[in-house]
């Protein structure tokens, strides 16, 4: 779509709105010609006193529409900038609405964390009902999604009250899996291709963890939660898992760390020996992530196990009495159907797990689904899956406690973590609501630095691939120095 911006240069806001509302369109900044059928002109005029007028003229698919919006800007420059961006996004949304088959469930919200406005409102003293009304009236979110966001926003506000300024979370990444799933674009190596990398990777990871522990002690920071993800962490041997968890315990004060999550993930990696190691290290939450309980769908996504293997893994896991067990499902997988998804969810609930995460398929660049053009359910079928999930989970005593969105999600829906009362994974809330810093270890790790009480966030990234991560430890050390410098500005030693 050709875009013409007049009186402003809010390209990011307009482009995000375009991708949200017209996923097949790409932004092009060229003059509009007589025969062009896909274009938008977004104009701003700001008058003395802060009166802002925004107009949008939009054409797509042989249809045209216009919208007009007037707002009064107020406050310091930072606030006025946010108000200006919101007005531009809202005007574009209102012009697009007449050209869409149906309003998008999340209205004009385009980001990964659509419940953030609700969480902010509740933290500022609003009720969940007032936060829901804010989402509906200000961001045009559908009533059902606004109610959902007010629930998860309230949980984020509750979690924020339990954090102190020097509290952080730790993430340890294990970028190996038994096989690569069709939907995956993560930096993960299948074991059959990368087995020789695993031992040196673990050695390098342990060194990074120990260096990070020293840095955290010097800064006087406190680790509240640990999350080991991937990939599939239980691809490591029992001895390697012990090596990594021991390094964490010896490098950090674990007294305030009340939550340790490990993604056991794939049932073909879950053994008594590995589970015994996790139990011995005080792991409080494990994930057994089938994604589906339909054998033909498992084959379609490239998994070498069956639904029966998942059931046996759950039975084995139950013997170790972990406080919490999570299961993941994905709505919209290749070869799946609403009926198949219902069977999968019902099977997960039958295990009595107190955590269920329902993802919506995201079409990621580099995934086999896109590269090979695999057949996936239509958005209407995905909506039917999600419409079944919510009442079924609520009926089993689960409530939504965090949510997030991704680019190119089927039907423009969301991922939701559900749990029974007091079974929340705090790490998921912390990272999705950006409540505290996340210190990440391992290849592809993304360290996020959050200044307490502000929206100031900075990021540094570890090297992406296991081999280069192992060979260039200086990058990890530089990231840790950046992390330390960030906190020295906030809390001078």
């Amino acid at each position: 779509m050709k875009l013409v911006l007049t009186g402003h240069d809010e390209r990011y806001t307009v482009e995000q709105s375009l991708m949200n509302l017209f996923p097949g369109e790409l932004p092009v900044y060229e003059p509009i010609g007589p025969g062009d059928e896909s274009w938008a002109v977004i104009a701003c005029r700001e008058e003395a006193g802060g009166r802002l007028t925004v107009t949008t003229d939009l054409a797509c698919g042989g249809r045209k529409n216009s919208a007009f919006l007037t707002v009064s800007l107020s406050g310091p420059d930072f606030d006025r900038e946010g108000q200006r961006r919101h007005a531009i996004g809202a005007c574009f949304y209102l012009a697009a609405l007449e050209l869409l088959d149906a309003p998008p469930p999340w209205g004009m919200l385009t980001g990964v964390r659509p419940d953030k406005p609700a969480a902010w409102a509740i933290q500022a003293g609003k009720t969940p009902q007032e936060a829901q009304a804010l989402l509906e009236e200000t961001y045009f979110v559908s009533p059902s999604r606004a109610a959902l966001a007010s629930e998860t926003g309230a949980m984020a506000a509750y979690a924020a009250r339990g954090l102190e300024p020097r509290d952080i979370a730790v993430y340890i990444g294990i970028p190996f899996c038994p096989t690569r799933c069709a939907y995956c674009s993560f930096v993960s190596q299948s074991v059959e291709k990368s087995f020789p990398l695993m031992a040196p990777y673990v050695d390098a990871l342990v060194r990074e963890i120990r260096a990070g522990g020293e840095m955290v002690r010097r800064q006087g920071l406190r680790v509240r939660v640990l999350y080991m993800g991937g990939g599939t962490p239980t691809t490591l041997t029992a001895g390697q898992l012990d090596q990594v968890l021991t390094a964490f315990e010896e490098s950090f004060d674990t007294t305030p760390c009340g939550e340790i999550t490990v993604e056991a993930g794939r049932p073909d990696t879950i053994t008594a020996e590995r589970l015994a190691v996790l139990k011995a290290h005080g792991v409080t939450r494990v994930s057994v992530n089938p994604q589906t309980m339909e054998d033909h769908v498992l084959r379609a996504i490239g998994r070498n196990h069956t639904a029966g293997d998942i059931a046996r893994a759950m039975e084995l896991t139950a013997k170790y009495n972990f406080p919490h067990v999570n299961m993941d499902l994905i709505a919209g997988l290749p070869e799946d159907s609403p009926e198949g998804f219902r069977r999968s969810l019902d099977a997960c609930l039958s295990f009595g797990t107190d955590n269920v995460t329902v993802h919506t398929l995201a079409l990621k660049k580099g995934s086999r689904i896109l590269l090979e053009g695999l057949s996936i359910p239509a958005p209407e079928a995905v909506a039917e899956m999600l419409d079944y999930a919510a009442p079924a989970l609520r009926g089993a005593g689960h409530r939504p406690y965090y949510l997030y969105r991704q680019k190119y999600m089927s039907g423009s829906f969301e991922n939701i973590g559900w749990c029974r009362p007091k079974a929340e994974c705090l790490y998921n809330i912390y990272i999705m609501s950006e409540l505290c810093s996340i210190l990440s270890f391992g290849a592809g790790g993304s360290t996020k630095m959050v200044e307490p009480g502000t929206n100031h966030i900075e990021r540094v990234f570890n090297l992406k691939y296991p081999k280069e991560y192992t060979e260039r430890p200086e990058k990890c050390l530089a990231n840790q120095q950046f992390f330390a410098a960030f906190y020295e500005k906030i809390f001078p030693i």
Side-chain angles (χ1 to χ4, degrees):
M1 178 179 288
K2 291 186 175 181
L3 301 176
V4 176
L5 311 184
T6 303
H8 68 98
D9 193 29
E10 294 290 348
R11 292 191 176 202
Y12 181 80
T13 298
V14 175
E15 289 173 4
Q16 291 299 304
S17 298
L18 173 64
M19 289 188 290
N20 179 46
L21 300 169
F22 302 99
E25 296 285 344
L26 295 175
V28 178
Y29 294 92
E30 295 177 0
I32 300 169
D36 290 334
E37 296 185 351
S38 179
W39 51 264
V41 178
I42 307 96
C44 282
R45 186 178 74 255
E46 190 169 341
E47 301 172 2
R51 181 181 175 86
L52 178 74
T53 301
V54 185
T55 60
T56 299
D57 297 305
L58 181 63
C60 190
R63 302 167 63 194
K64 297 180 182 179
N65 195 40
S66 298
F68 172 90
L69 199 61
T70 300
V71 298
S72 295
L73 304 180
S74 61
D77 289 345
F78 180 81
D79 292 344
R80 295 164 71 94
E81 184 180 346
Q83 295 161 14
R84 188 179 298 107
R85 284 197 300 266
H86 180 270
I88 291 169
C91 192
F92 189 96
Y93 174 84
L94 293 171
L97 201 55
E98 292 296 319
L99 309 185
L100 303 174
D101 294 332
W106 286 103
M108 66 172 284
L109 291 175
T110 61
V112 171
R113 301 166 180 85
D115 61 347
K116 256 195 167 184
W120 289 337
I122 294 169
Q123 289 179 51
K126 301 291 186 182
T127 66
Q129 293 74 23
E130 289 171 328
Q132 178 178 342
L134 170 74
L135 290 174
E136 292 181 36
E137 296 165 8
T138 306
Y139 299 96
F140 315 110
V141 177
S142 70
S144 64
R145 291 311 189 275
L148 174 66
S150 72
E151 285 189 83
T152 58
M155 185 57 70
Y158 169 79
R161 289 195 292 272
L163 287 169
E164 298 294 334
R166 291 178 180 268
D167 287 347
I168 67 169
V170 168
Y171 177 86
I172 298 175
I174 309 297
F176 302 101
C177 279
T179 59
R180 189 176 180 87
C181 294
Y183 54 79
C184 183
S185 67
F186 285 124
V187 181
S188 57
Q189 308 283 326
S190 59
V191 167
E192 65 268 19
K193 295 181 179 179
S194 60
F195 182 80
L197 291 174
M198 292 177 65
Y201 177 83
V202 170
D203 290 340
L205 179 61
V206 165
R207 288 192 293 271
E208 186 193 8
I209 291 170
R210 293 192 184 280
E214 291 182 15
M215 179 270 293
V216 165
R217 286 196 300 273
R218 287 196 303 270
Q219 297 302 319
L221 304 177
R222 186 171 73 155
V223 176
R224 296 297 304 277
V225 298
L226 165 66
Y227 193 103
M228 186 185 294
T232 305
T234 44
T235 305
L236 300 182
T237 65
Q240 289 168 336
L241 283 170
D242 179 67
Q243 194 178 346
V244 173
L245 289 168
T246 297
F248 172 73
E249 291 168 354
E250 293 177 350
S251 304
F252 294 88
D253 177 8
T254 60
T255 305
C257 183
E259 175 184 290
I260 301 176
T261 298
V262 175
E263 290 184 356
R266 302 275 287 263
D268 40 348
T269 69
I270 296 174
T271 64
E273 189 180 19
R274 290 182 174 105
L275 292 174
V277 169
L278 301 186
K279 186 69 176 180
H281 284 282
V283 169
T284 59
R285 183 175 181 268
V286 296
S287 293
V288 181
N289 300 335
Q291 315 304 5
T292 176
M293 294 294 286
E294 298 283 287
D295 284 342
H296 71 285
V297 180
L298 288 169
R299 289 192 296 271
I301 64 175
R303 292 212 169 187
N304 293 335
H305 61 80
T306 66
D309 295 328
I310 296 164
R312 285 187 287 275
M314 286 296 293
E315 182 180 353
L316 179 61
T317 302
K319 293 180 180 179
Y320 289 83
N321 295 312
F322 292 100
H324 306 293
V325 178
N326 174 74
M327 300 186 80
D328 280 12
L329 292 176
I330 299 178
L333 287 174
E335 307 300 331
D336 206 358
S337 65
E339 296 75 19
F341 181 83
R342 287 198 291 270
R343 288 191 293 268
S344 293
L345 180 57
D346 290 346
C348 288
L349 291 174
S350 73
F351 295 124
T353 178
D354 62 359
N355 278 252
V356 176
T357 307
V358 178
H359 298 269
T360 302
L361 179 68
L363 298 175
K364 301 172 182 177
K365 294 178 181 179
S367 69
R368 199 156 53 80
I369 289 177
L370 289 182
L371 293 176
E372 298 180 9
L374 301 183
S375 175
I376 59 173
E380 295 77 13
V382 177
E384 191 175 339
M385 297 175 189
L386 299 178
D387 287 344
Y388 178 80
L393 285 157
R394 290 186 187 276
H398 291 248
R399 293 294 180 268
Y401 76 95
Y402 83 103
L403 67 84
Y404 67 103
R405 300 174 70 201
Q406 294 169 276
K407 290 182 179 179
Y408 315 116
M409 294 189 79
S410 182
S412 192
F413 293 115
E414 65 285 318
N415 304 319
I416 306 175
W418 297 80
C419 72
R420 293 191 177 128
K422 301 186 184 304
E424 302 84 10
C425 176
L426 288 173
Y427 175 86
N428 286 333
I429 302 174
Y430 293 166
I431 190 169
M432 289 305 161
S433 297
E434 298 180 320
L435 299 181
C436 68
S437 295
I438 311 291
L439 176 59
S440 294
F441 299 111
S446 172
T447 287
K448 181 184 298 183
M449 291 150 283
V450 179
E451 182 175 349
T454 74
N455 292 324
H456 176 211
I457 296 173
E458 297 184 35
R459 294 172 175 83
V460 290
F461 304 92
N462 278 2
L463 294 169
K464 191 173 182 180
Y465 298 104
K467 190 173 187 298
E468 62 177 353
Y469 164 84
T470 301
E471 294 173 347
R472 294 181 54 196
E474 67 275 7
K475 173 58 175 167
C476 297
L477 294 177
N479 288 347
Q480 290 183 15
Q481 290 168 1
F482 194 98
F483 190 92
F486 181 88
Y487 274 94
E488 285 167 2
K489 293 176 184 177
I490 302 171
F491 306 115
I493 297 176

